[in-house]
Amino acid sequence: MTDALVLLVVVPIAASLFPVALGGRFERIGWFVAAAMGLVHLGLSATVAARVLEGGSISYAVGGFEPPFGIELVADGVSAPLLVLVSLSTLGVLVYARRAGPHSNAFYSELALLTAGISGVFATADVFNLYVFLEITGLATYALVASGRSPRAALASLKYLFVGTIGASLYLLGVGYLYIMTGTLNMADLTGAVASASVGYTSPAILASFGLIVTGLLVKVAVFPLHTWQPGAYAESPDTVSAYISALVSTAAAYALVRIIYAVYTTGFLDEVPLAGDALVALASVSVVVGAVLAVMQSDLKRMLAYSSVSQFGLVVAAIGLANETALVGAVVHLVGHAVMKGGLFLTVGVFATGLGVRTVEDFAGLAAKAPVSSAAFAVLAFSMVGIPPAVGFVGKWNIVVGAVEAGAWPVAAVVVVSTLLTLAYFGRVIERMYFTAPEPEADAVSTDGGNDAVEVSFGMRAVVVVSAVTAVVLGVLGSDLITVIQPALEVYF
Amino acid sequence: MMDLLTTHYNYVASILLFGIGLYVVMGSPNLVKKIIGMNIFQVGIFLFFVTTGYVDGGAPPVVGHGEETFVSPLPHVLILTAIVVGVSLTAVALALVIRIYDGYGSLDEDVIKEVQVDD
C-alpha cells in the first residue's frame, strides 16, 4: 500500500481534468469532482499517516526506477501530518466554497492542481522533482489568485508570477550547482555526497548552491524583503482562495526549506558555515518585526492578515536557521498551526464580508452583536495566533523560544516576545472594535459595497469557521502528541 | 582572468543571459516585455544546465552507433521538463496580460498605476 503515496499526487492531477472536460455539459460539476477528490485524498493521506505511525517512514520509487536514479517519494513523521493537513484544508475550503464560490469549473480544476502540487512538495525526496512540484503549486496559485474578477487581481497575480518564477529559477540554478558537484539529485544521496571529501561543505559551488536555493525558497515563503508579491496576492484574490493559499502555499515552501537545509546540507554544513545559519536567522528576525509592524499599519483586514503571514513565517524561518531540535519541532508545529489559524481567519473575514459587507478594521465596530458565532471564532483564532495557551499558536512559539534559549540565541527569543506583543497589537485593535465599540449608524452600510452579489452566508461557511477555531484549540491541547509524531523524524537530522 | 573567461565561455554566456533577463523584468515598464525578459532569464538557466552535461568528444546519448563516450543525458531530460514548466508559465502570464489590458486599457505599468490611483 505504499502506492497511496504516489496516488496523493496522481489523484488530484487526474481530478483536475474532469471539471474542464465535463464543464461543457454540466455547469456545476466542478465542486462535486473536487469534493470527491478531497475525500479520496483524505483517505489516502490517512492511510499514509497510519503507515508512518506504525513503521516510521515509507518510500515509493516512481515508475519502478529505484532511487537514487529514479524519483523517490517519501513520507515520514513530518510530511505525513502535513499531507493530512492538505486533505483537511482542501475539504474545509470546499465546504466553504459550495456557497461562497467562485463557481466556475476552471476554478475547481485549478484547486485540484494546487492540491496535487502541494502534496507533491510534501512527498518528494528529489531536489529536481521538488522544483517541478513547486512550479505546479505556483502555476495553480497564479491562476487561482486571478480567479477574482477584478483586473487588480490579475495584476497582483502577474506580479506574483514574475517574482515567483524568478525565485523558482534561482532554486533551479542552485540545483544545477548541486548536480555539477555531486552528480545526484536524490536528497538522501545528496546528504553524503555534499559532505564527501571530494566536494566539501565549503567549496564555492556548494556555498553558491545553498545561497541560490535558500533565496529561491525564501521568495516563495515570502520573507521580508522578498514578500512584496504576497499582500497583493492574498488581498485581491477571492476569500476562498486567500484562505487556501495562505494555509498551504507558503507552508509548502517552508517545508521544502526544512527538507533542503536538513536533509541535503545537514547540520554539519550549518556548523561549518556559521554565516549561513546566522544570515537566515537575522533575515527572518527582521521579517518577524517588519511584517508585524506593517500589519499594524493596515486598515484592510485581508492585507493585515497577509502581513501577519510575513511575520509568522519569519518565526518559522528563524527557527529553521537556529539548527536546534526543539526550535525545529516548534517550526513544524507552527507551520501546521499557522495553516489552521490563518486559513480560518481568512475564511472568517470572508464570512463577515459576504454576510455584512465589512472589509476594513473600521467596519468591524460592534460586529460581535451582529454575528456572535463568527466573531467568537475570529477571536479564538486571533488569540491563538497571538500565542495564548492552550491554543496551537502557543505550542509552536513556545518551542521556538525554548529552542532559541537552548541555542543561546537570546536576540531571537526577544524577537519572538516582541512579535507576540505586535501580534496582540494588530489583532487586539480588531477584537476591541468587534466587542467594545458601538456600531456606526447603518445608513450606508449596504449601499457602499455593491460587489458582493448578495450571497447569503450558508451554514457550511459558518461551520468551517467554527471547526477551524475548535481545531486550533484542540491541536494546542494535543500539541504534545503532535510533537511525539514529528520529533522522531527530525531527530535523524541532529 | 581572461583565461577563465575563454575556457568557461558557456558560464559567461548564461550569466549574461540571466543579467539581461533580470534587467528587462525589473527595468521595462511594459508587461509583455517583462514576460520576454522572464523567458530570457529562464533560458539562461536552461542553457547553463545543458552545458553541465557536456563531455569532451561525447556523442549524443543515443546507444547503438558505435560511439563510446556520450554526453550526460540527465540534464537534457531535466531541462525538457523545465522548458515545459516555462512554457506553461508564459501561457498563464500572457492570459493574465490580456485580462489586465481589458481592465486598464494599457500594458504600461506606469499608466496602470495612474489608472489605479484615479479609481
Side-chain angles (χ1 to χ4, degrees):
Chain A
M1 271 309 281
T2 48
D3 290 349
L5 195 53
V6 72
L7 288 175
L8 276 172
V9 181
V10 173
V11 167
I13 287 190
S16 72
L17 298 173
F18 289 106
V20 174
L22 301 175
R25 187 163 303 202
F26 310 98
E27 205 179 317
R28 289 226 168 163
I29 190 86
W31 188 85
F32 295 99
V33 173
M37 182 273 292
L39 289 171
V40 173
H41 197 277
L42 180 62
L44 291 168
S45 64
T47 315
V48 168
R51 292 260 318 204
V52 168
L53 276 180
E54 236 171 70
S57 80
I58 53 176
S59 151
Y60 179 87
V62 177
F65 296 100
E66 291 299 322
F69 302 110
I71 292 168
E72 187 188 14
L73 299 181
V74 169
D76 60 12
V78 179
S79 49
L82 287 166
L83 285 165
V84 177
L85 178 78
V86 174
S87 318
L88 294 176
S89 320
T90 309
L91 285 172
V93 163
L94 282 170
V95 170
Y96 183 90
R98 180 83 185 109
R99 177 68 63 88
H103 295 295
S104 70
N105 286 316
F107 169 76
Y108 291 103
S109 278
E110 290 152 11
L111 193 81
L113 208 55
L114 183 54
T115 314
I118 292 169
S119 310
V121 171
F122 287 144
T124 189
D126 181 286
V127 285
F128 184 79
N129 201 227
L130 182 60
Y131 164 76
V132 175
F133 281 127
L134 277 174
E135 281 300 71
I136 293 177
T137 308
L139 272 168
T141 314
Y142 310 144
L144 280 173
V145 169
S147 63
R149 262 169 286 166
S150 71
R152 271 169 189 277
L155 199 61
S157 170
L158 190 66
K159 189 175 183 187
Y160 184 7
L161 190 148
F162 285 135
V163 179
T165 305
I166 287 173
S169 301
L170 291 178
Y171 173 85
L172 183 61
L173 192 56
V175 169
Y177 279 123
L178 264 185
Y179 177 70
I180 294 173
M181 293 307 285
T182 61
T184 178
L185 294 165
N186 182 282
M187 286 186 192
D189 224 27
L190 276 166
T191 314
V194 173
S196 69
S198 61
V199 181
Y201 290 129
T202 49
S203 77
I206 292 295
L207 292 176
S209 73
F210 182 86
L212 288 166
I213 287 180
V214 169
T215 312
L217 288 175
L218 287 182
V219 171
K220 297 254 170 192
V221 177
V223 167
F224 178 85
L226 307 169
H227 70 288
T228 48
W229 57 268
Q230 199 206 34
Y234 284 14
E236 306 298 344
S237 51
D239 301 326
T240 319
V241 175
S242 359
Y244 197 57
I245 63 180
S246 69
L248 294 177
V249 172
S250 291
T251 312
Y255 169 79
L257 195 63
V258 173
R259 258 294 176 81
I260 291 278
I261 291 185
Y262 289 96
V264 174
Y265 291 95
T266 70
T267 46
F269 175 84
L270 294 175
D271 287 340
E272 199 148 322
V273 190
L275 181 66
D278 292 347
L280 210 56
V281 171
L283 191 68
S285 303
V286 173
S287 181
V288 171
V289 177
V290 174
V293 169
L294 285 169
V296 174
M297 286 157 53
Q298 302 305 314
S299 61
D300 181 89
L301 214 72
K302 279 174 84 173
R303 235 166 238 281
M304 183 191 100
L305 291 177
Y307 281 110
S308 155
S309 281
V310 174
S311 168
Q312 302 297 330
F313 275 101
L315 274 182
V316 171
V317 173
I320 295 171
L322 284 173
N324 158 305
E325 201 184 322
T326 320
L328 198 56
V329 169
V332 176
V333 172
H334 202 55
L335 278 184
V336 176
H338 179 270
V340 173
M341 296 183 286
K342 193 51 67 65
L345 281 167
F346 269 111
L347 290 180
T348 319
V349 172
V351 167
F352 292 142
T354 27
L356 303 161
V358 297
R359 285 213 173 266
T360 61
V361 178
E362 294 291 309
D363 296 339
F364 265 55
L367 205 62
K370 287 186 236 166
V373 179
S374 311
S375 303
F378 186 91
V380 169
L381 288 166
F383 283 129
S384 173
M385 193 64 103
V386 173
I388 290 174
V392 66
F394 169 73
V395 184
K397 278 191 187 177
W398 175 253
N399 280 292
I400 294 174
V401 172
V402 172
V405 173
E406 274 175 21
W410 293 99
V412 178
V415 162
V416 179
V417 173
V418 170
S419 94
T420 304
L421 292 176
L422 284 167
T423 314
L424 189 61
Y426 57 73
F427 279 125
R429 77 197 164 120
V430 178
I431 289 169
E432 189 268 335
R433 268 184 184 280
M434 284 166 75
Y435 282 92
F436 305 113
T437 308
E440 277 151 39
E442 280 212 35
D444 55 349
V446 186
S447 59
T448 45
D449 196 6
N452 282 313
D453 304 293
V455 183
E456 290 267 313
V457 177
S458 69
F459 172 75
M461 287 163 75
R462 280 207 191 87
V464 177
V465 164
V466 172
V467 166
S468 62
V470 172
T471 313
V473 177
V474 170
L475 265 182
V477 175
L478 299 178
S480 52
D481 294 318
L482 190 61
I483 289 173
T484 50
V485 178
I486 293 169
Q487 197 146 21
L490 293 176
E491 257 165 18
V492 297
Y493 298 142
F494 292 92
Chain B
M1 184 66 199
M2 212 46 225
D3 196 39
L4 195 72
L5 288 182
T6 46
T7 49
H8 293 72
Y9 51 86
N10 51 342
Y11 299 114
V12 176
S14 42
I15 288 167
L16 278 177
L17 283 174
F18 306 152
I20 294 168
L22 209 54
Y23 175 76
V24 175
V25 173
M26 296 199 293
S28 169
N30 185 304
L31 294 177
V32 173
K33 284 188 185 161
K34 272 180 192 284
I35 295 173
I36 295 171
M38 186 182 84
N39 273 315
I40 295 173
F41 181 72
Q42 285 187 312
V43 166
I45 290 170
F46 298 163
L47 290 178
F48 165 79
F49 240 97
V50 171
T51 58
T52 62
Y54 183 71
V55 178
D56 249 349
V62 183
V63 183
H65 293 283
E67 286 98 349
E68 297 205 333
T69 13
F70 298 101
V71 299
S72 166
L74 187 65
H76 298 174
V77 179
L78 298 181
I79 287 316
L80 271 182
T81 315
I83 287 172
V84 174
V85 171
V87 168
S88 6
L89 277 168
T90 313
V92 173
L94 289 172
L96 289 171
V97 161
I98 293 173
R99 288 212 10 216
I100 292 170
Y101 189 78
D102 282 348
Y104 294 110
S106 169
L107 287 178
D108 194 291
E109 249 192 342
D110 305 329
V111 177
I112 290 172
K113 261 188 203 128
E114 274 170 35
V115 175
Q116 269 187 334
V117 172
D118 289 347
D119 277 350

